[in-house]
């Protein structure tokens, strides 16, 4: 593991700090975050069940799951922006790893 990455602030950390700086009570925020995660997973399961019970009842592959996730993400502009930032960071980290391996 690259030592720079251990101390580099991730996009997830930046988003977290932006939110916490607006509302301080950390414990309720953590519970609200967990509620958001649970709600999102519940939505994904609902969409997957709808998809499975439809014409593709015999399979649900990774591409289908990505379609479901993107459908949920695009319902809210803030979520869409945060997701984009997190994905961009993931792509950058993958590119850095490829560069280190060469």
């Amino acid at each position: 593991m690259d030592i720079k990455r251990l101390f580099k602030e991730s996009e997830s950390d930046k988003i977290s700090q932006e939110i916490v700086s607006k509302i301080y009570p950390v414990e309720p925020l953590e519970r609200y975050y967990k509620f958001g995660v649970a709600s999102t997973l519940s939505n994904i399961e609902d969409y997957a069940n709808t998809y499975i019970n439809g014409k593709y009842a015999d399979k649900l592959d990774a591409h289908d799951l990505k379609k479901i996730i993107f459908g949920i993400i695009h319902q809210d502009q803030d979520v869409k922006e945060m997701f984009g930032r997190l994905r961009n960071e993931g792509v950058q980290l993958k590119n850095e790893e490829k560069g280190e391996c060469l």
Side-chain angles (χ1 to χ4, degrees):
M1 176 171 267
D2 186 9
I3 195 76
K4 289 189 301 187
R5 285 183 32 205
L6 287 175
F7 297 103
K8 183 178 178 183
E9 185 177 39
S10 71
E11 199 63 31
S12 178
D13 292 334
K14 291 177 189 176
I15 293 169
S16 247
Q17 287 174 3
E18 289 171 11
I19 294 168
V20 172
S21 69
K22 292 181 181 179
I23 307 170
Y24 183 67
V26 174
E27 194 170 319
L29 281 176
E30 287 176 349
R31 295 223 2 111
Y32 198 70
Y33 168 78
K34 290 176 183 178
F35 166 70
V37 170
S39 176
T40 300
L41 293 173
S42 177
N43 285 335
I44 290 172
E45 184 168 357
D46 288 343
Y47 281 109
N49 286 336
T50 300
Y51 195 88
I52 289 168
N53 293 329
K55 64 180 181 176
Y56 299 105
D58 59 334
K59 66 177 181 177
L60 179 69
D61 66 13
H63 295 288
D64 299 325
L65 185 57
K66 286 183 76 163
K67 289 177 191 174
I68 291 169
I69 292 168
F70 278 103
I72 293 169
I73 289 165
H74 284 76
Q75 292 178 6
D76 184 278
Q77 187 59 36
D78 289 335
V79 171
K80 182 179 172 183
E81 179 203 339
M82 289 178 201
F83 181 82
R85 288 172 62 183
L86 292 169
R87 297 309 309 143
N88 285 339
E89 180 184 46
V91 168
Q92 290 172 358
L93 291 176
K94 282 186 180 181
N95 289 337
E96 287 176 11
E97 289 173 2
K98 287 180 184 176
E100 292 173 2
C101 293
L102 294 176

